Amino acid sequence: MGPKYRAPEGMNDVLPESSHLWQYIEARWREHCHRYGYREIRTPVLEYAELFERSVGETTDIVSKEMYILQRGEERYALKPEGTAPVVRAYIEHSLHSAGSAQKLYYITPFFRGERPQKGRYRQAHQMGAEIIGTAQPSADAELLAMVMHFFQSLGILPEALELRLNTIGCPTCRPAYREAVLQFGRARSAQLCKSCQTRLERNPLRILDCKECVAITTDAPPIDPYLCDECRTHFDTLQQLLKMLDVPYKRDYRLVRGLDYYTRTTFEVIAEQGLGAQNALCGGGRYDGLVEALGGAPTPAVGVGIGVERTLLVLQALEVPMPEPPRVGVYVVAFGEAARPVALQVAQQLRYAGIATDLDLEGRSPKAQMRLANRIGARFAVLLGETELAQNAATVKDLQTHEQTLVSQAELAVWIRNRLQTS
RNA sequence: GGGAUCGUAGCUCAGUUGGUUAGAGCGCCUGACUGUGGCUCAGGAGGUCGUGGGUUCGAGUCCCAUCGGUCCCCCCA
């Protein structure tokens, strides 16, 4: 029996029982990025649709059929389907290059793709991203990858649970020749390729390499290495050396040819064996040396990563990694009798002003129900107010763990409680 | 866009080859304990069995349609 109104398909409410986990992951990401010298950037949830059409690529599924388009008058907007293009747009728009050095920017953002939802894949999902804009040095790629793996580690995910897959897809100088080689390879075996790969072949031949259906055929496809230009080869070699030096394990994956048009050279993803179903990529990213220029900026190399928040959460839960408990109030104020209720509210405020997380009944429940609630929400102390206490401007503080009761004057209440909350 | 699967109380689920007033646990409320939680016990509230048709003397149970969830393909974080 569905309720009359539900959240849109593939879009989820984060309920209080799990919102603290989101806060935790997001706080960790912020901390982590600050530790690596990044600063936060926030961009609108909407951009002019054209931004994504130009950057992500008109022929990609994302742009051709998954974007949420909003038309308002003459303006065509799209809910952002990924995080990088808006950051690059902002970088150009606000001349962030003028800072003189490469910009390290991080963000946390929702993004939207109109696809059938499944485990770990939603129509509104959330991404933690980081971009280094303004350097072509492989040390940027290496630092970014080390940061990402360090981030997962800091959340308590063991390195064995993850696999960093790494590849290079060359640059506009060398990729065309490789593309041609794969195209020839594919054409020669066109009949054996799956249906979608046959159309893929003409549009974006490299994509046949990461088709699961056609692995058996494409396993013999030519590797890119002999086709790489000197610059791309040096970049990739150096990156691999740096990763080894930094003890960041990775696996070369010749099939890792990302979906978005803007990638050059380095591509990577981190996959998890457990916790995610078919959507086992926790994060993905790569170098996009042509994007800033393509969007109207000066030629500016860059590299970036996006980490799925939902997917990270699923992995943490599947691996049973310890995570924080939801916040609890320390004190619950209980009123015995109607006369005590306004005083209870007053006392609760007094405790809150003193910085003590406090709650009380606002529904007129019986004392017993109030006590039950105090216990259930995990409060450490119940502050009891009845005729006896009111007569003395005092309160009975009950320690709900030890059952000890102490009569404390209302004036000293906050200090009395704060001392015990700190020491226990 | 295609496919698989599920849909009984707020939540997790029982409901036998179709057979009277549809059940349990958790949670909620009340009481035992007239101003005191956690344990126990006794009561109570809460359900158009997703919806609409059909078969039947009779449908939660069978058939069809439809809606929704979940998972998978495609694609991607």
Side-chain angles (χ1 to χ4, degrees):
Chain A
M1 42 161 64
K4 186 172 178 185
Y5 295 108
R6 334 179 104 261
E9 181 177 4
M11 306 200 184
N12 302 303
D13 299 309
V14 178
L15 298 176
E17 63 195 40
S18 48
S19 59
H20 69 285
L21 299 177
W22 284 69
Q23 292 175 4
Y24 164 69
I25 290 182
E26 290 169 358
R28 278 300 174 83
W29 177 245
R30 293 201 155 87
E31 264 172 48
H32 201 77
C33 288
H34 292 150
R35 190 185 292 193
Y36 278 80
Y38 288 77
R39 296 182 301 157
E40 187 182 23
I41 183 165
R42 302 190 186 202
T43 65
V45 282
L46 255 64
E47 295 281 350
Y48 291 115
E50 196 184 335
L51 175 70
F52 300 111
E53 291 159 355
R54 289 287 161 79
S55 58
V56 175
E58 305 252 18
T59 63
T60 60
D61 278 15
I62 291 177
V63 166
S64 63
K65 51 189 191 197
E66 294 172 12
M67 281 208 299
Y68 284 90
I69 300 290
L70 281 83
Q71 184 94 37
R72 183 181 161 84
E74 296 297 301
E75 315 286 14
R76 254 178 91 247
Y77 303 97
L79 292 175
K80 64 171 95 163
E82 58 103 32
T84 298
V87 171
V88 169
R89 191 225 81 225
Y91 174 90
I92 299 166
E93 183 170 341
H94 302 287
S95 303
L96 297 187
H97 67 276
S98 63
S101 58
Q103 290 292 298
K104 295 168 96 171
L105 303 169
Y106 82 88
Y107 56 89
I108 301 173
T109 183
F111 66 97
F112 302 84
R113 292 181 191 175
E115 279 202 298
R116 282 283 165 83
Q118 67 190 61
K119 190 182 180 92
R121 123 85 70 87
Y122 310 100
R123 290 188 166 178
Q124 174 175 343
H126 300 79
Q127 186 178 54
M128 300 174 286
E131 319 281 350
I132 305 177
I133 306 176
T135 174
Q137 294 298 317
S139 52
D141 309 41
E143 189 199 72
L144 186 75
L145 288 169
M147 175 180 88
V148 166
M149 298 317 280
H150 183 192
F151 174 65
F152 289 127
Q153 192 191 329
S154 78
L155 287 175
I157 302 174
L158 296 176
E160 302 87 80
L162 302 177
E163 186 173 274
L164 170 60
R165 295 182 177 170
L166 183 67
N167 196 23
T168 180
I169 56 170
C171 68
T173 304
C174 56
R175 199 186 315 158
Y178 179 56
R179 183 191 154 105
E180 189 58 27
V182 173
L183 182 60
Q184 293 312 320
F185 171 87
R187 278 185 179 151
R189 293 158 187 76
S190 177
Q192 304 164 57
L193 292 172
C194 75
K195 228 175 148 186
S196 46
C197 276
Q198 292 181 9
T199 59
R200 218 172 258 155
L201 194 57
E202 301 304 323
R203 250 180 21 183
N204 192 349
L206 296 190
R207 303 297 310 288
I208 68 170
L209 296 177
D210 64 1
C211 173
K212 290 163 203 156
E213 226 172 303
C214 301
V215 253
I217 300 140
T218 56
T219 189
D220 297 324
I224 194 171
D225 299 47
Y227 294 88
L228 290 175
C229 63
D230 289 347
E231 288 76 14
C232 284
R233 171 187 311 287
T234 306
H235 185 274
F236 194 52
D237 287 347
T238 309
L239 170 58
Q240 293 183 78
Q241 283 166 23
L242 290 170
L243 289 176
K244 281 171 186 141
M245 227 184 70
L246 294 170
D247 286 322
V248 175
Y250 66 89
K251 185 181 157 209
R252 176 69 192 275
D253 183 351
Y254 294 90
R255 301 176 172 283
L256 186 55
V257 174
R258 315 244 68 217
L260 313 188
D261 283 1
Y262 55 61
Y263 285 117
T264 55
R265 292 187 173 168
T266 314
T267 59
F268 63 85
E269 63 185 27
V270 176
I271 63 120
E273 291 301 336
Q274 291 178 53
L276 299 164
Q279 310 302 318
N280 66 347
L282 263 182
C283 103
R287 185 159 273 285
Y288 49 96
D289 292 338
L291 183 56
V292 178
E293 187 176 10
L295 292 181
T300 309
V303 61
V305 62
I307 302 173
V309 177
E310 286 85 350
R311 292 185 182 185
T312 301
L313 209 40
L314 285 170
V315 168
L316 288 170
Q317 283 161 348
L319 297 176
E320 295 179 340
V321 172
M323 285 193 278
E325 293 294 309
R328 300 189 184 293
V329 296
V331 177
Y332 199 86
V333 183
V334 175
F336 288 89
E338 291 310 309
R341 290 190 191 276
V343 183
L345 183 57
Q346 196 178 27
V347 167
Q349 278 304 93
Q350 184 191 325
L351 294 173
R352 291 158 173 165
Y353 288 138
I356 300 166
T358 305
D359 206 358
L360 80 162
D361 171 58
L362 301 173
E363 301 163 59
R365 290 173 188 250
S366 69
K368 185 202 285 278
Q370 294 179 54
M371 286 301 292
R372 209 170 16 235
L373 209 52
N375 184 63
R376 220 196 56 219
I377 64 175
R380 173 68 196 283
F381 294 107
V383 169
L384 314 184
L385 293 165
E387 281 180 30
T388 322
E389 288 82 3
L390 293 192
Q392 307 170 59
N393 285 322
T396 298
V397 182
K398 178 165 188 173
D399 185 323
L400 292 173
Q401 287 168 16
T402 66
H403 312 147
E404 274 180 291
Q405 296 198 172
T406 315
L407 190 70
V408 180
S409 78
Q410 286 175 22
E412 297 167 28
L413 192 58
V415 172
W416 193 94
I417 289 175
R418 190 162 45 203
N419 288 340
R420 323 264 145 172
L421 280 176
Q422 281 168 354
T423 53
S424 55

